Structures are given as C-alpha cells and as structure tokens.
C-alpha cells in the first residue's frame, strides 16, 4: 500500500495553462506539505496544512494555491504556469508533533514526486 | 541564504568500507536534524534523526553525529552496501516543523 501518493507523476504543459497536482496519504497523519525541488536540487517547503488549516505559507507566488478537502488530501493548483515553475514537486505528511514524543516527531513521509515541465 | 549545506555533491566508496556524509548548518536555533535517502524517481525516505540534546544516534549500520559547537552533523554508514547508493539529504528544523533541506550528496557504493 502506498503511504503518500501523488498524481500525475509527470506533467508537461504550455506556459499560461492552469494545472493541478493531487496528493493523498493513508497514514492517518494530521499534517501535509508541498515541497519544490528546483534545478539546483534544493528541496524547499511551499505550504503546510494541519487538519485542513494552512500553517506554513512560504514566499510563493499567489498563482500557487493549495487546497485541502480533508485531512488525507492536499492538492496543489497552479494558475498561469511559467517556465520557472518547472521542477519536481513533492507532497509529504507527518504526524501532529504535539501528540507524540519529541524524539520521533516531525518524521515526514514523502510521495514519489511530480515532475512538472512548462514549455 | 542557505541555512543547511552539504558541500560535497558526490561521494564514491568501496563496498564494505565506511561512508561519511557531511552537513553544515548556520542557524543555532535548529533543534532537530534528520537524514533522508532518495532513489531516482522516488520521494525522499526518512533514514535517521537526532535531537539537539544528543550528540550521537545509532540505528543499525547508520549513525548520525552532531557537533553543535561546529554546527556540523555527519552520517556514517558502516559497512556500505551497493543498495546504499542514493542521494542523501540532510534536514534541520526549528520548533515550527518546517524542515530546511540541504542540496543532497550522491553516494555511490561500488561492488
């Protein structure tokens, strides 16, 4: 069983289009994240949701909008795609760290990634 | 301003020998550090972690060392196996749960 899944795995689209990437986790976690891995290979957090509430919102263009219909899903919508949006996007989830011991908190489980190519 | 850095983009080691992956950080407020392993076309998977109150954590072949005064941590893999060949990411957090990742080190273990 896949713990954190993302669809699609590959996404090729034209500049200016609007696209969505879906993420689902079956781990029962309360917190979900979106990361972007750019061409320099750095993994940078974009958003974090805890129980469907936005808790981390990094400096990301407002063309990017996360949507969490329930605790198990965090989808990423991107409007007016630009060339610079080309990257690998990873979804992740973790247990609410307030509920478990500090030593094992914040272990984030990642999805397989979505490679977005904007032409 | 990259707060977590892995200055070696790649490392090649013979099977059976020790692999040492290094990571430096600049923010003294980080209180928890993690190592993730990533195979091609897959997401990072959690490997081992250490809190700032410790200087060593061991899990089987993997040991993480933390030197707070030097703001340095390292991951030791002994003995290295060909299946360990992957990209290793160091990550750190400060209270909020937001992880700051390094850029990764590609480890190749030669049979």
């Amino acid at each position: 069983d896949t713990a954190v899944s993302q669809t699609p795995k590959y996404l090729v689209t034209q500049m200016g289009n609007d696209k969505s990437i879906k993420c689902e986790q079956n781990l029962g976690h309360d917190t979900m994240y979106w990361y972007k891995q750019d061409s320099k290979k750095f993994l940078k957090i974009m958003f974090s949701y805890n129980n469907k509430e936005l808790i981390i919102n990094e400096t990301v263009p407002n063309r990017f909008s996360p949507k969490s219909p329930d605790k198990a899903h965090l989808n990423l919508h991107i409007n007016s795609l630009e060339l610079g949006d080309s990257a690998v996007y990873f979804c992740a989830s973790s247990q609410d760290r307030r509920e478990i011991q500090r030593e094992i908190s914040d272990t984030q489980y990642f999805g397989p990634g979505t490679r977005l190519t904007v032409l | 301003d990259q707060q977590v850095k892995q200055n070696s983009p790649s490392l090649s080691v013979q099977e059976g020998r020790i692999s040492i992956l290094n990571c430096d950080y600049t923010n003294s407020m980080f209180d928890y550090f993690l190592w993730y392993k990533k195979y091609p076309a897959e997401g990072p998977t959690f490997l081992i972690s250490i809190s700032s109150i410790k200087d060593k954590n061991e899990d089987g072949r993997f040991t993480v060392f933390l030197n707070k005064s030097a703001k340095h941590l390292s991951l030791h893999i002994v003995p290295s196996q060909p299946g360990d060949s992957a990209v290793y990411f160091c990550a750190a957090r400060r209270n909020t749960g937001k992880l700051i990742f390094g850029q990764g080190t590609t480890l190749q273990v030669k049979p």
Side-chain angles (χ1 to χ4, degrees), chain A residues 50-68:
Chain A
N50 177 268
N51 279 313
K52 295 168 53 181
E53 271 190 53
L54 182 65
I55 56 171
I56 294 175
N57 186 354
E58 292 298 289
T59 307
V60 175
N62 56 15
R63 298 182 294 104
F64 290 78
S65 54
K67 287 187 171 50
S68 181

Side-chain angles (χ1 to χ4, degrees), chain B residues 12-91:
Chain B
S12 184
V13 168
Q14 206 66 34
E15 181 179 6
R17 306 293 291 269
I18 184 171
S19 295
I20 300 177
L21 297 110
N22 294 305
C23 178
D24 296 296
Y25 61 95
T26 58
N27 191 337
S28 58
M29 298 300 290
F30 286 140
D31 62 356
Y32 200 72
F33 303 89
L34 306 91
W35 283 94
Y36 279 82
K37 176 179 177 180
K38 184 183 178 305
Y39 291 116
E42 294 183 12
T45 55
F46 171 72
L47 193 56
I48 192 169
S49 63
I50 188 168
S51 84
S52 59
I53 60 173
K54 294 187 175 181
D55 54 20
K56 177 183 174 181
N57 188 26
E58 191 171 350
D59 183 4
R61 297 185 297 114
F62 302 92
T63 303
V64 56
F65 295 92
L66 176 62
N67 182 335
K68 281 185 294 185
S69 60
K71 294 193 181 68
H72 177 85
L73 67 155
S74 60
L75 174 68
H76 292 213
I77 306 173
V78 181
S80 301
Q81 299 173 355
D84 296 330
S85 298
V87 179
Y88 288 79
F89 288 96
C90 166

Side-chain angles (χ1 to χ4, degrees), chain A residues 31-46:
Chain A
T31 307
M32 296 185 72
Y33 311 81
W34 275 108
Y35 286 85
K36 178 181 180 181
Q37 186 179 29
D38 59 23
S39 56
K40 294 182 181 176
K41 304 302 182 186
F42 285 104
L43 265 165
K44 294 186 179 176
I45 191 163
M46 301 172 68

